[in-house]
Amino acid sequence: MTDVARLAGVSHQTVSRVLNGHPNVKEQTRLRVRAAIAELGYRPNRAARALVTGRSQLIGIVALNSTLYGPSSLLAAFEQAAAEAGFAVSVGSVGRLDRESIAGAVDRHLDQRVAGLVVIAPVASAGEALEEIATGVPLVTIDGDPRRAHALVTVDQVAGARAATRHLLQAGHRTVWHVSGPADWYDAAGRIEGWRQALEEAGAEVPPLLPADWSAAAGYAAGQMLARMPEVTAVFTANDHLALGLLRALSERGRRVPHDLSVVGFDDVPEAAFFIPPLTTVRPAFDAVAQAGLDLLLAQMVDTADPDNRIVIAPSLVKRESVAPPR
């Protein structure tokens, strides 16, 4: 910083003000300092700054070590939003979202003097663990328990499932079957609730739930059973990978989609538009969720956030060729 100040012809304190975005710096001076920074290739020492201020430009994220599309997309979207805001991200991946694992990851982040914490907490055990953790730094939960009001950002799973189910009912189907996700996931529970609400609001029969996991293999197993049931004309799957397995099983059994049976998924994975047929699905706004989470975290850093703030982001229905009226 001394070298930058000397080249720009300003004081050490002025360089510090420019680096910290202080408003009381003339624009011409700011440009001169920025030019000196660029010429010298100066990079602030974040570790030293953290020691002085007690806070770094680092955000710690606790996330499940998973390749599932939803959690991994949320993580990638948050990293991008944080980078655009000038923050680096440290990810603590855990094999289980339980109290011990989350507490360990949080402690490791606190050792790095993170400015704030984000926990991507899609399962029930994570919500229970967070109740027992006192971090002393700003904390936001993403994709967590929708009943937990404290600093939470999530997708409106219920609304997305209702939209998917209504779309099938409006196409003329008398009822809609549902292949669900794992019982301990908040996403799966919300999608079950939305599916059931839409059927009950329409006065339609609520078929037996078909529990599964998030995999294409589970969708394939459900599809093998549903393909043998001619009364089934519409299925809503809890994610697109389940829909992919379902489509494979239906094809093998000679059930054509959407001629014989209509299918709607959830997540809008990049491949969904290239399924056979292209899949109608629900698109969660992962970028909007990540940005809202970052905004809430930054608001906590400057003490302007409502401590009970809960932000719910609406998803959208993407209509493609996998839905048609029943024969």
Side-chain angles (χ1 to χ4, degrees):
M1 288 179 67
T2 301
D3 293 336
V4 171
R6 185 181 300 111
L7 181 60
V10 299
S11 68
H12 181 280
Q13 290 81 2
T14 298
V15 175
S16 178
R17 291 191 188 100
V18 171
L19 290 170
N20 289 296
H22 198 284
N24 295 333
V25 179
K26 292 181 181 180
E27 185 61 23
Q28 184 177 4
T29 302
R30 190 185 308 277
L31 292 174
R32 196 161 69 246
V33 171
R34 290 293 180 190
I37 288 171
E39 182 175 339
L40 294 173
Y42 171 73
R43 295 175 62 86
N45 187 324
R46 297 186 185 276
R49 181 181 293 185
L51 289 172
V52 172
T53 66
R55 176 175 292 175
S56 68
Q57 290 293 104
L58 181 67
I59 295 173
I61 301 181
V62 180
L64 185 66
N65 185 9
S66 170
T67 57
L68 289 170
Y69 181 72
S72 61
S73 296
L74 279 172
L75 176 58
F78 190 89
E79 287 183 293
Q80 179 64 32
E84 292 174 357
F87 285 84
V89 166
S90 173
V91 180
S93 296
V94 295
R96 292 169 55 88
L97 284 170
D98 55 18
R99 193 198 68 79
E100 183 178 356
S101 299
I102 291 178
V106 166
D107 285 344
R108 290 190 293 274
H109 283 317
L110 294 179
D111 287 343
Q112 299 178 65
R113 296 178 180 265
V114 294
L117 285 166
V118 172
V119 181
I120 300 177
V123 298
S125 59
E128 297 162 2
L130 287 171
E131 297 295 340
E132 304 175 20
I133 292 177
T135 66
V137 301
L139 170 66
V140 170
T141 303
I142 293 182
D143 203 24
D145 186 350
R147 298 165 299 180
R148 184 176 182 269
H150 181 68
L152 169 74
V153 183
T154 189
V155 174
D156 193 336
Q157 309 291 346
V158 175
R162 288 177 67 182
T165 307
R166 283 176 176 171
H167 182 58
L168 289 162
L169 293 172
Q170 289 167 357
H173 297 277
R174 299 179 63 180
T175 191
V176 178
W177 290 66
H178 181 47
V179 182
S180 76
D184 61 337
W185 282 64
Y186 297 123
D187 293 0
R191 293 168 198 182
I192 292 171
E193 182 180 348
W195 162 73
R196 185 173 285 116
Q197 282 184 11
L199 292 177
E200 291 174 347
E201 289 168 2
E205 177 187 355
V206 181
L209 183 71
L210 300 178
D213 56 29
W214 296 120
S215 69
Y220 179 78
Q224 287 183 311
M225 182 186 71
L226 292 171
R228 295 193 291 266
M229 302 167 64
E231 68 273 19
V232 177
T233 65
V235 180
F236 164 49
T237 63
N239 77 350
D240 292 347
H241 288 100
L242 287 167
L244 177 61
L246 179 75
L247 292 173
R248 169 70 182 269
L250 294 174
S251 176
E252 290 180 353
R253 295 278 179 173
R255 298 290 301 275
R256 293 171 294 171
V257 178
H259 187 261
D260 299 318
L261 195 149
S262 291
V263 178
V264 176
F266 205 112
D267 277 345
D268 193 27
V269 299
E271 300 84 6
F274 301 93
F275 287 3
I276 301 176
L279 183 67
T280 295
T281 185
V282 177
R283 177 185 295 159
F286 292 126
D287 290 346
V289 172
Q291 188 61 56
L294 179 63
D295 291 344
L296 186 54
L297 191 68
L298 296 179
Q300 288 187 48
M301 291 178 188
V302 293
D303 299 322
T304 62
D306 180 347
D308 293 327
N309 206 339
R310 186 171 72 98
I311 302 172
V312 180
I313 306 295
S316 58
L317 183 69
V318 181
K319 299 178 183 179
R320 297 194 181 101
E321 286 79 35
S322 63
V323 174
R327 286 193 298 169

